[in-house]
Amino acid sequence: MTATGAQSEGKADVYKELDKFGKFQVFQYILICLPLMMVSMIHVNYIFVAEDVDHRCRVPECEDANPSVEIPKWWPQNVDAKCFRPVLDMQRYRRSNQTCSNNTFLEVLEECHDWVFENNNSIVAALNMGCESWKSTLVGCIHNAGMIVSMLITGWIADKIGRKPTIIACSIGGTIGLVKIFITNYYAYLAVEFLESVLASGLYTVAVVLLIEVGGESKRVSAGVIFSYAVYVGEVCFAFIAMGLKYWKLLIIVAYSPMILFIMYIFLLRESTRWQMLRGKMDEAKDTLKMITRCNKLEVSETEISETSNEDLRFQFNVVIQKEKERMKDILASKEIMIRLSVTSFCFFASSFIYYGMAVHAVLLPGNKYTNFVLAALSSFPGDMIALFTFNRFGRKISLQCGYISSAVFLLAQTYTPDSIMWLKVALFLCGKLGVVVCFTGTYTYTLELFPTSVRGTLIGCGNTAARFGSMLAPLTPLLSAEMATLPSILFAAVAIIAAAFLTFTPETKTLPMFDTIAQIESHKSKVMTHL
């Protein structure tokens, strides 16, 4: 063996050691997953915090000291107790010794603006929203609208200034939601809900990017599964907290307060070495690699890392430094990138629309709403294990397509199952949720592999923006049931089938490397076309 060959082999050995998954990566994964859990809690908070509460109109002159939501005996017949207030005939009222009865009211109704609520667990009671059910629905829509804004800018910010500072800013930003417990005006509440979402929701974009870049080539699928598990754990925890506390202000305090502690990530979290190398920050990248050798107790000395040239280090990690930064015009100029972006954006939309639509509908199923929500959240866990197995065994595309189609089949089946067979209806619903979970997790993993490091954060942000349109529309789907009970499930199934069809236009990424630039993807595409 020549001296040059031995030197090259030695450098390869250094890379193999540094690419091993060890204590450093586990610790970084934990740090990334903790804020993900917290943000997923605040992302579903409106399902319980802004849930509808049974109510009736208040008639102050007739109410007892502790009025009940049940329609009282004195209430006039054939009068809507939720939205209209019967007008007292004051002469009859005085003649009856200020006692209300069916005949002490005029044949006149006024619009109700004050209500008796079953409980005060929701902002519906606290903000006196009464029969204006659209207001509670709008809270979820506004939250998801804030996510759209966040996804549009967070990926770009993460590509420009780094993954670490973006994660810290998003993690701490969610604490603004604590202000909601002091608000007494509905529109002010909406404004804070929107701002909270804008500041925190971008974490979904940057966290999954950092997970896959920290884990390396061998953990590409695992990173997507771990990301999804962190989200599901947060949702399950929030459901149990809601089940125990119920009162909306306590829910917000418990879910939001711990997020201030993420300021410590300034000292604990490390930047992505792949991003550092791509941006030419080689000194910082080497410092991170030295920390990896110490934490993982690798057979590589810090001197070896220091003495490795920048070019050799980038070569071993298969990173091409950007001489010219790729911008939006480069994305738009690439037909292959635009096809991938269009398909994955619709898949993001479909996964989020169906997933969060089913989360909203879970509390409308027969039985206890908390139990149903927990079951729906728990059904996500085996879905991710299925995704992990099928992605590694059969590939990304076919797994996603089967997930969408199976979800559509189960959703349609549960729709036409009689409510009297409650166990079967719930079981089919959970199976449908299982199918979309495979897609929800898989879309992140697949998209991360389709896009290059140079614009990965930006394009994942575009996909996540499409996902937020889906989650913004999801809270509105119960309104469709008023037109036709089966309409929401038919809509979910149709969207799933379209997503499965669109995936035929993108390549399988199971055996492809992680590309760093658009030029690399274009070069690889031209080679494939040449061989064909």
Side-chain angles (χ1 to χ4, degrees), residues 373-413:
F373 186 87
V374 169
L375 286 174
L378 288 175
S379 69
S380 303
F381 289 87
D384 278 343
M385 296 310 297
I386 293 171
L388 181 61
F389 173 76
T390 57
F391 268 47
N392 285 325
R393 181 71 180 272
F394 305 109
R396 286 42 162 165
K397 269 179 63 172
I398 188 66
S399 299
L400 283 171
Q401 288 172 318
C402 289
Y404 280 124
I405 292 170
S406 63
S407 179
V409 170
F410 283 118
L411 277 171
L412 291 174

Side-chain angles (χ1 to χ4, degrees), residues 434-448:
L434 197 68
V436 78
V437 165
V438 173
C439 303
F440 194 75
T441 300
T443 300
Y444 276 101
T445 302
Y446 187 50
T447 305
L448 286 164

Side-chain angles (χ1 to χ4, degrees), residues 345-365:
S345 292
F346 189 83
C347 288
F348 267 112
F349 170 83
S351 300
S352 186
F353 178 60
I354 301 167
Y355 180 87
Y356 287 108
M358 294 185 75
V360 172
H361 282 266
V363 298
L364 304 177
L365 288 171

Side-chain angles (χ1 to χ4, degrees), residues 269-285:
L269 190 66
R270 300 295 297 187
E271 184 57 85
S272 160
T273 53
R274 194 172 191 90
W275 180 86
Q276 289 171 330
M277 291 181 191
L278 186 70
R279 293 298 185 184
K281 301 176 182 293
M282 295 306 297
D283 290 337
E284 291 92 332

